[in-house]
Amino acid sequence: DLEHPLDNVIYPEMVPLLEAIDRQNKEKEAVANMRKEFSANVSHELKTPLTSISGYAEIMMNGLVRAEDIPGFSKRIYKEARRLITLVEDIIKLSKLDEESVELEKEDVELYELTREIVSRLSPQCSEKKISVALSGEPVFCHGIRQILDEMIYNITENAIKYNRDGGSVSVWVGNTLDGPKISVSDTGIGIPEEHQERIFERFYRVDKSHSKERGGTGLGLSIVKHGAILHGAKVTVNSEPGKGTKIEIRFPKEEKMKKAEVL
Ligand code: ADP
């Protein structure tokens, strides 16, 4: 086919338009890549515990285990199954953040009382590691989705306990600032090296995979926090010093505007 002489002519006024299309295509490609990577990670994370469960069960089924080893084997199967349950629950929470319906469930949520409840729910984990949690601040209202706010506060407080040292402490502050409601959680734990601080909000990202797994982590907790924050127009910041501790803050906007999150 002969090319039309005008095929390759680009008018100057078309340039911004073409650039915009190019940008849009690149964004679409990035989203597609993230989805692909997420599916690959999900398959891997699901397969690992399932492979050990079926392996242990098979050995027991074939009568290859001595009677005295059966409790140990059952315990491993139980632990791997628990891991799978937590993982599936976290995946469901993340996908729910993608649904439009979340926009309908807004209500005025009092964050101080909610945080107090969360701290008491976490008390078994605290006593296990002899960690003391101090809650201070004042009642403050946030217009949002109770379930998601609960998950956000729970995840950062749980991390402050999980990645703490035995006998360490956690300080939680909830209250109002000139810029709006704020929640601040500080711990005396292992800290997060600078180069990892931005990446901990990515799905399945863990600074130390075995350390996180040992503590029942899925690597999804902070991405739930991040997407919950986007949905509430909130900002999450990290301040951390390895070996000293970490402070995570969530700042909600004064004008409680809800935004539909684009969950990748
Ligand atoms: P996980 O399920 O592994 O805890 P998260 O998404 O909640 O996943 O956190 C991602 C990673 O960030 C963790 O694996 C851990 O390495 C690091 N991290 C999160 N919170 C803290 C904290 N308070 N102190 C130290 N490291 C933390």
Side-chain angles (χ1 to χ4, degrees):
D1 286 6
L2 274 177
E3 261 183 41
H4 189 278
L6 281 179
D7 270 355
N8 293 318
V9 176
I10 295 173
Y11 296 97
E13 58 269 34
M14 280 170 74
V15 171
L17 201 67
L18 290 171
E19 279 171 355
I21 292 171
D22 191 46
R23 251 197 322 274
Q24 224 175 34
N25 285 340
K26 282 198 178 113
E27 274 166 24
K28 274 189 194 155
E29 202 179 308
V31 170
N33 280 339
M34 281 184 86
R35 280 188 202 277
K36 240 194 243 164
E37 200 182 308
F38 180 57
S39 315
N41 279 332
V42 169
S43 329
H44 174 77
E45 298 285 337
L46 290 174
K47 257 190 182 161
T48 315
L50 277 172
T51 307
S52 21
I53 289 174
S54 79
Y56 288 126
E58 193 181 3
I59 297 172
M60 281 167 59
M61 197 172 69
N62 293 338
L64 295 171
V65 187
R66 289 176 304 178
E68 64 264 37
D69 291 332
I70 288 180
F73 269 62
S74 320
K75 195 174 165 195
R76 286 185 205 172
I77 291 178
Y78 175 76
K79 272 183 90 174
E80 295 294 335
R82 292 300 320 169
R83 258 194 77 66
L84 269 177
I85 293 171
T86 314
L87 185 62
V88 170
E89 280 171 353
D90 277 357
I91 292 169
I92 291 170
K93 280 176 199 161
L94 259 179
S95 67
K96 272 202 180 144
L97 286 172
D98 212 2
E99 284 171 18
E100 268 175 62
S101 60
V102 288
E103 253 178 288
L104 304 170
E105 301 158 19
K106 293 186 270 179
E107 56 179 309
D108 286 326
V109 182
E110 203 284 284
L111 298 175
Y112 190 86
E113 179 52 25
L114 178 63
T115 307
R116 210 187 52 73
E117 270 172 45
I118 290 168
V119 169
S120 89
R121 251 185 274 153
L122 283 164
S123 68
Q125 273 129 288
C126 288
S127 34
E128 208 177 284
K129 293 184 75 181
K130 300 197 169 36
I131 288 166
S132 58
V133 182
L135 173 63
S136 62
E138 69 211 339
V140 60
F141 280 95
C142 172
H143 196 64
I145 301 152
R146 175 176 284 277
Q147 183 63 38
I148 293 170
L149 293 168
D150 188 317
E151 281 157 17
M152 291 165 70
I153 303 168
Y154 185 94
N155 288 346
I156 57 171
T157 314
E158 191 193 33
N159 281 347
I161 299 164
K162 269 200 316 204
Y163 301 103
N164 217 317
R165 55 179 166 81
D166 286 353
S169 61
V170 175
S171 307
V172 185
W173 187 86
V174 181
N176 218 347
T177 70
L178 287 175
D179 301 320
K182 185 176 97 172
I183 296 177
S184 169
V185 178
S186 317
D187 65 58
T188 54
I190 58 174
I192 306 161
E194 174 95 51
E195 66 272 25
H196 295 280
Q197 287 178 14
E198 239 179 73
R199 302 205 58 194
I200 54 173
F201 295 95
E202 291 173 19
R203 287 167 184 199
F204 297 112
Y205 192 85
R206 295 124 161 168
V207 175
D208 178 345
K209 207 158 178 154
S210 59
H211 192 273
S212 153
K213 272 193 164 171
E214 211 179 279
R215 281 159 178 73
T218 60
L220 292 175
L222 285 180
S223 54
I224 293 172
V225 172
K226 184 181 93 181
H227 287 288
I230 295 171
L231 198 68
H232 288 88
K235 292 248 174 317
V236 188
T237 54
V238 188
N239 268 290
S240 187
E241 211 180 307
K244 287 238 166 102
T246 301
K247 174 152 99 179
I248 307 252
E249 294 193 321
I250 307 176
R251 291 159 206 269
F252 294 94
K254 212 172 5 194
E255 313 254 331
E256 305 89 348
K257 263 189 250 134
M258 298 290 292
K259 250 196 333 210
K260 168 89 179 67
E262 167 67 14
V263 178
L264 302 175

